[in-house]
Structures are given as structure tokens and as C-alpha cells.
């Protein structure tokens, strides 16, 4: 009776529901979980870090400590989720990155002042919509994926794994699937493990072909079912090619299961860039136009850990 009941099932509420269901199934104690979703009209990530949403979050954290004291217990912060990408209209990928870094720093300091430990930040890697497939903020996420300072920022999944409606919003099924993967990621981090969606770090020439070096927690897989309709190229594309070279086959390197080989019709020439689940032609869904079929071997209840979008300059091999 001391806390307001949830008026709707947001992604964060569904995440809490998943955590409670798992504990119940394991016959474990059931904690009281408080969920907040804060929004404002910030037009840039920098504005978000100075706006009403973060101020309300700080007030909510203060109220949480007071509510816990009234209930005779102590509160802890399981995670802070971030969902702000396409809303940024700064037009600058690095400005987006720096704005999110500043936001995480402010939240970390505010929670620390209340006695909370450094939070886990959970974020989905936004792939855009049916119509939006590129832009500075989408680029800025890539910058954040490898440059987020000492903040514990965890990308739970690329958004192409979840169905969206014609307005670009998650469907009910998509929101539940996202919450389940967020729960898997959070539980992994809490146990001391690392949650890592396959991340392409380097594209280099290998004769007429291209070899992609990836960071991954498990062996890579090109999903034969292609559940998101990525096509024969599994979501990969070559940009800047001047001699009409094309990808004819995508396979996992048999000598290194954390590397991908793009078999090409001939040696790609020009200032070539390799894109994965990025900058695709618009479509009608039901998944974002930017999609792929690359994942690792992990699977749980029909869920998989899909690779993050990437765009890399092709370099000469060793």
C-alpha cells in the first residue's frame, strides 16, 4: 500500500516479471521489485543528461530508499535501462556517445550519493525501423559499444531480433522477447559472467574473400532458418565496390569459429566498407530493415544471442 501499482507493462516491468517468475520456479524468495520509466522531450543525448527524466529518476531513487526504510529493509538497484537512440537529433555520432556517457556518469554519481553501488546499464542495440536504417545516433551506438569508460554498459541484444509494428514500436511479443533476453543478460552479469553479443571488430582481405574477426562468447553460427529475412547474404553488404564484386556465400571459418568469411565473386576493389545489419534498403517488416542471421551458439527457450550491427572499413590482411 505504500507504493503505486504499475499502470502498464513496460519492458522494464516485463523484465521484473521474468526475474520473479524464474525465482518462483526455483522455489527462491520473491523480492519486491520497484520499476520506474522516466521520459522527457530531450532532443539530444546531452539534453537528456540535464533534463527532467534524469531529475525524476534521482527523486525516485531517493523515494526508493525511504520506502525501503519504511518497510524495514534495504533497497538495491538491479539495473538502469537506457532506451534513447533515434530520439537524438544532434546529427553527430560522437556527440550522441558523449551525451550518453555524461548521462551514465550523472546517474552513477547520484546513486552513489544515496549509498547504491555502481549500476549495471542495460541497453538494446537499436537497429532503426522499417524506414530508418542509418543515421548519426545509430553510428554513435557503435562508438559506445567499445568506448563506454568504466561504466558497466551491457548491450543485451540488437533490436532486429524483435518484431515491431508499422509505427516502429515493439509488438507485445517483441517486448516480451526483449525482456527475456534482458533478464538473461542481467542474471549473467550478476553471476560474474560476461554477456556479449557477437561483435565484428575487423574486416580484412583474404585473397578474393573477406575475413571478419569477431569478439564472441561462443562459437558463431549463420542461422539457416534466417528468422528475420536477412537473405542469402545473412545481412552482410559491401559498399564502395568499384568492380561489381559481390558476396556469393557467407560461412564461419572452420579454423576459427569466432571468425566469418565472406566469399566473393571476385576481389572487391575500391574504398570498400563491410556492413552488417546496417544501412539496408527500407522494407515493410515485421522486423527492422536492418537485420542479420549471425549469432553465437548460445540458446535458451528459443532465444539466441544475435550479432550487433557493424560497419567497418576493409583492410589489407597480414
Amino acid at each position: 500500500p505504500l507504493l503505486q501499482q504499475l499502470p502498464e507493462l513496460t519492458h522494464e516491468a516485463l523484465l521484473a516479471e521474468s526475474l520473479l517468475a524464474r525465482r518462483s520456479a526455483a522455489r527462491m524468495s520473491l523480492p519486491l521489485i520497484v520499476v520506474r520509466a522516466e521520459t522527457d522531450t530531450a532532443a539530444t543525448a546531452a539534453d537528456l543528461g540535464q533534463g527532467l527524466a534524469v531529475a525524476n529518476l534521482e527523486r525516485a531513487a531517493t523515494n526508493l530508499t525511504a520506502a525501503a526504510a519504511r518497510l524495514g529493509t534495504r533497497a538495491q538497484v538491479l539495473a538502469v535501462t537506457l532506451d534513447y537512440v533515434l530520439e537524438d537529433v544532434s546529427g553527430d555520432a560522437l556527440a550522441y556517445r558523449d551525451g550518453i556517457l555524461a548521462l551514465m556518469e550523472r546517474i552513477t554519481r547520484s546513486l552513489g550519493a544515496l549509498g547504491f553501488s555502481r549500476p549495471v546499464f542495460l541497453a538494446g542495440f537499436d537497429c532503426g525501423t522499417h524506414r530508418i536504417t542509418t543515421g548519426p545516433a545509430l553510428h554513435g551506438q557503435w562508438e559506445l559499444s567499445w568506448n563506454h569508460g568504466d561504466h558497466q554498459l551491457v548491450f543485451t541484444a540488437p533490436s532486429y531480433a524483435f518484431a515491431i509494428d508499422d509505427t516502429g514500436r515493439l509488438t507485445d511479443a517483441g517486448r516480451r522477447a526483449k525482456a527475456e533476453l534482458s533478464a538473461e543478460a542481467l542474471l549473467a552479469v550478476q553471476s560474474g559472467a560476461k554477456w556479449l553479443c557477437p561483435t565484428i571488430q575487423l574486416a580484412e582481405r583474404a585473397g578474393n574473400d573477406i575475413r571478419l574477426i569477431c569478439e564472441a562468447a561462443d562459437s558463431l553460427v549463420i542461422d539457416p532458418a534466417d528468422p528475420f529475412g536477412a537473405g542469402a547474404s545473412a545481412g552482410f553488404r559491401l559498399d564502395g565496390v568499384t568492380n561489381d564484386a559481390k558476396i556469393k556465400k557467407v560461412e564461419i571459418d572452420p579454423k576459427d569459429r569466432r571468425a566469418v568469411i565472406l566469399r566473393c565473386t571476385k576481389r572487391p576493389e575500391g574504398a570498400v566498407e563491410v556492413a552488417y545489419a546496417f544501412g539496408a534498403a527500407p522494407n515493410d517488416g515485421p522486423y527492422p530493415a536492418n537485420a542479420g542471421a549471425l549469432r553465437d551458439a548460445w540458446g535458451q527457450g528459443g532465444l539466441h544471442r544475435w550479432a550487433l550491427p557493424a560497419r567497418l572499413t576493409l583492410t589489407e590482411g597480414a
Side-chain angles (χ1 to χ4, degrees):
L2 299 176
L3 299 172
Q4 178 185 355
Q5 300 302 299
L6 281 174
E8 60 185 18
L9 281 177
T10 62
H11 160 258
E12 290 74 22
L14 289 170
L15 168 56
E17 181 181 81
S18 177
L19 294 173
L20 289 171
R22 292 161 191 248
R23 292 182 66 90
S24 178
R27 300 291 193 270
M28 298 173 68
S29 62
L30 301 181
L32 175 63
I33 300 180
V34 177
V35 176
R36 293 286 301 185
E38 304 292 356
T39 63
D40 66 21
T41 59
T44 69
D47 292 341
L48 183 66
Q50 302 295 322
L52 185 61
V54 69
N56 284 345
L57 180 64
E58 291 167 344
R59 171 53 60 187
T62 302
N63 292 343
L64 176 62
T65 59
R70 285 281 302 273
L71 294 171
T73 187
R74 180 178 178 275
Q76 62 175 310
V77 175
L78 288 178
V80 176
T81 64
L82 303 176
D83 184 9
Y84 186 89
V85 182
L86 297 181
E87 296 85 354
D88 183 279
V89 295
S90 66
D92 187 325
L94 295 183
Y96 169 82
R97 178 202 65 190
D98 292 345
I100 297 298
L101 286 173
L103 172 66
M104 291 193 291
E105 183 65 21
R106 174 170 172 174
I107 291 173
T108 298
R109 289 180 179 274
S110 297
L111 293 180
L114 293 171
F116 294 109
S117 58
R118 295 182 69 84
V120 175
F121 291 96
L122 299 179
F125 200 103
D126 199 316
C127 301
T129 68
H130 306 318
R131 298 287 178 262
I132 301 172
T133 66
T134 188
L138 294 177
H139 280 280
Q141 287 179 114
W142 176 254
E143 296 288 337
L144 268 178
S145 70
W146 60 270
N147 181 11
H148 46 262
D150 60 354
H151 298 293
Q152 195 167 10
L153 175 61
V154 179
F155 283 104
T156 58
S159 70
Y160 66 73
F162 312 121
I164 56 178
D165 61 22
D166 57 3
T167 69
R169 296 180 181 275
L170 287 169
T171 64
D172 288 344
R175 192 163 56 252
R176 285 193 175 275
K178 181 180 180 181
E180 290 297 329
L181 270 172
S182 295
E184 292 286 349
L186 181 57
L187 290 172
V189 172
Q190 286 182 329
S191 70
K194 186 177 183 180
W195 181 267
L196 179 63
C197 295
T199 305
I200 305 169
Q201 296 185 322
L202 179 66
E204 61 181 14
R205 294 187 184 277
N208 289 342
D209 302 322
I210 297 171
R211 189 169 185 268
L212 305 173
I213 309 300
C214 305
E215 184 181 11
D218 208 336
S219 299
L220 296 178
V221 176
I222 302 297
D223 195 309
D226 188 18
F228 315 119
S233 65
F236 290 94
R237 189 183 68 256
L238 303 181
D239 292 336
V241 176
T242 57
N243 66 337
D244 200 35
K246 293 180 172 60
I247 299 170
K248 64 179 180 181
K249 186 178 181 182
V250 180
E251 60 187 50
I252 306 302
D253 188 341
K255 297 179 181 179
D256 181 357
R257 303 300 297 180
R258 288 175 171 80
V260 178
I261 297 178
L262 306 181
R263 302 292 185 190
C264 301
T265 55
K266 53 186 172 183
R267 177 183 169 87
E269 302 293 351
V272 181
E273 292 188 317
V274 179
Y276 171 75
F278 189 89
N283 64 21
D284 294 324
Y287 298 98
N290 288 330
L294 177 64
R295 59 175 175 84
D296 68 14
W298 178 87
Q300 183 72 40
L303 300 173
H304 294 289
R305 197 158 44 197
W306 298 93
L308 299 183
R311 186 184 179 97
L312 304 111
T313 299
L314 179 60
T315 64
E316 297 298 328

